[in-house]
Amino acid sequence: MKWRGRERSSNIEDRRGTAGGTGGGFGRGGGMRIPMGGRSGGLGGIGAIIVIGLILFAVGINPLDMLAGNTSSVPRQTNASVPSANAGDDELAQFVGVVVKETETLWGEVFQQNNMRYAPPKVVLFTEMTESGCGVADASSGPFYCPDDRKVYIDLRFYDRLRQQFGAPGDFAQAYVIAHEIGHHVQNLTGVLPDFNARRARMSQEERNAYSVRVELQADCYAGVWANYVNRENLLEQGDAEEAINAANQIGDDTLTRGTVQPRNFTHGTSAQRREWLNRGMQSGDVGQCDTFGNGAI
Ligand SMILES: [Zn+2]
C-alpha cells in the first residue's frame, strides 16, 4: 500500500512502552485511565466476546478470561526495561495511523450518504498489556474491538505473529486486520452489535456461534469495501489484494484449528467464507453487498 507521506489519524492512542502498570497512567496516552469499575463481573460488554480479536481461541486464550479481567496468567511484574518503540515499530505505528485515517474518510462518506454521522473509534496501540473497557488485554489477545469503550486495541507485535505463525505477510494483510476491527465499530454504530447483544441471552450456544459468524463475515466484507476505496484512491500496490485475501484465508476457523473444532463451534467463519466476503466487499465497494444476515446469505 502506498501510505508514506499520507495524513495520519488523530484518533490513535499510543500507550506503547507503558506496560507493567495495570492502573497507572498511560504515559503517552495522555495519562488517561480507562474506567474499569462498575461492570459486574467485567462482562458488561458480553457482546464483546464475539468481536474479540481474530485469533483468541487459536492461541489458547479463553476470551471469557480476558473479559472477566482474569489476569492470573498475565505477568503483573514486567521489568522496567520494556523497550520503548523502536524505529520499526514507529514505522508500523505510522502505517496504522494512515490506514485508520483512510477508514475515517471512507466511513465518513458512507455514513453521510446514509444521512448518518460517523464517529470514528480510538485505536489504542499498546505493548505487553493494557486495560480496555472489555477487560485487560495482553499481547496474546490479538487485535480486538471493544464495543463498550468504542476502541480498537492492537499490540503491534501481533503483526509478527500474523506473518510468522499465521503465514500472512504483507502490509495489506496488516491493513485488513485494522479495517476488519473498524468494521466492528461500524456495526456498533449501525446497531448490528447492540442487536446481537440484546438477543444473545435468548440464544443457544450454537445459535450464538452462527450469529457471530455472520457478524464477523460482515466485518470482513466491510474491510473489503475499504480496500475497494483504497484502490480507487490509487493506493494499492501489486499483490496487496492477494495479501489481504491470504490473511482472511489463514485466519479462517477451519484453517486455524486444523480440523480439531466442529463447524458448529466456529465463530468467525471458514477460510472459504472469509475469503468470499472480503472479496465481495473488495469487488463491489458497496456496503449493500455485505448483508450476511439475509436468508441464504451464508
Ligand atoms: Zn472480528
Side-chain angles (χ1 to χ4, degrees):
M1 179 177 160
K2 295 176 213 157
W3 62 273
R4 284 173 203 282
R6 292 189 68 84
E7 191 182 346
R8 303 200 293 265
S9 170
S10 58
N11 289 305
I12 305 292
E13 199 179 306
D14 196 345
R15 300 183 192 167
R16 292 173 302 154
T18 61
T22 54
F26 296 113
R28 281 189 278 173
M32 191 183 82
R33 176 172 175 179
I34 303 297
M36 294 296 289
R39 301 195 180 283
S40 57
L43 286 173
I46 196 160
I49 294 168
I50 56 99
V51 293
I52 284 298
L54 297 159
I55 53 146
L56 275 175
F57 71 90
V59 293
I61 304 291
N62 180 351
L64 284 168
D65 283 348
M66 202 188 87
L67 287 170
N70 177 354
T71 58
S72 57
S73 62
V74 178
R76 287 275 173 176
Q77 294 296 326
T78 45
N79 63 41
S81 64
V82 171
S84 55
N86 60 35
D89 273 359
D90 269 348
E91 177 147 282
L92 206 43
Q94 289 168 18
F95 170 75
V96 170
V98 172
V99 168
V100 172
K101 179 68 188 179
E102 300 292 343
T103 65
E104 289 166 358
T105 313
L106 166 69
W107 290 113
E109 286 173 10
V110 171
F111 273 62
Q112 198 171 32
Q113 285 157 13
N114 290 279
N115 298 314
M116 293 169 71
R117 218 178 70 79
Y118 180 64
K122 294 273 188 218
V123 176
V124 178
L125 308 182
F126 71 98
T127 43
E128 309 255 323
M129 63 186 293
T130 196
E131 288 181 17
S132 82
C134 298
V136 175
D138 70 18
S140 64
S141 304
F144 68 96
Y145 173 69
C146 174
D148 283 1
D149 62 11
R150 298 188 162 192
K151 293 182 181 185
V152 170
Y153 290 83
I154 182 165
D155 181 332
L156 294 179
R157 270 152 226 182
F158 167 77
Y159 285 141
D160 294 333
R161 281 172 37 218
L162 186 65
R163 185 174 57 245
Q164 292 161 5
Q165 193 177 340
F166 302 111
D171 66 350
F172 213 66
Q174 299 171 342
Y176 153 66
V177 169
I178 298 281
H180 171 98
E181 298 305 336
I182 299 284
H184 285 314
H185 176 68
V186 170
Q187 292 174 315
N188 202 17
L189 298 181
T190 59
V192 166
L193 292 191
D195 203 41
F196 187 15
N197 240 344
R199 296 169 187 227
R200 59 181 299 131
R202 295 190 300 275
M203 292 177 173
S204 69
Q205 186 60 49
E206 226 165 286
E207 287 169 336
R208 267 198 292 272
N209 291 343
Y211 205 97
S212 169
V213 166
R214 292 176 191 269
V215 169
E216 294 297 335
L217 294 177
Q218 186 174 63
D220 280 341
C221 189
Y222 285 168
V225 169
W226 176 78
N228 179 284
Y229 163 77
V230 171
N231 187 39
R232 277 183 278 129
E233 295 288 294
N234 286 318
L235 300 180
L236 282 199
E237 293 172 313
Q238 183 127 30
D240 277 350
E242 290 79 6
E243 286 169 4
I245 297 278
N246 175 59
N249 182 71
Q250 295 300 87
I251 57 179
D253 285 329
D254 51 343
T255 300
L256 273 182
T257 59
R258 295 186 184 89
T260 59
V261 171
Q262 296 283 327
R264 67 170 180 274
N265 293 322
F266 289 171
T267 55
H268 285 67
T270 63
S271 292
Q273 288 174 320
R274 301 200 71 165
R275 283 198 313 264
E276 183 197 329
W277 284 94
L278 171 62
N279 196 44
R280 196 183 285 222
M282 267 183 167
Q283 297 298 328
S284 67
D286 175 10
V287 291
Q289 297 296 312
C290 297
D291 182 11
T292 54
F293 295 90
N295 269 342
I298 304 294

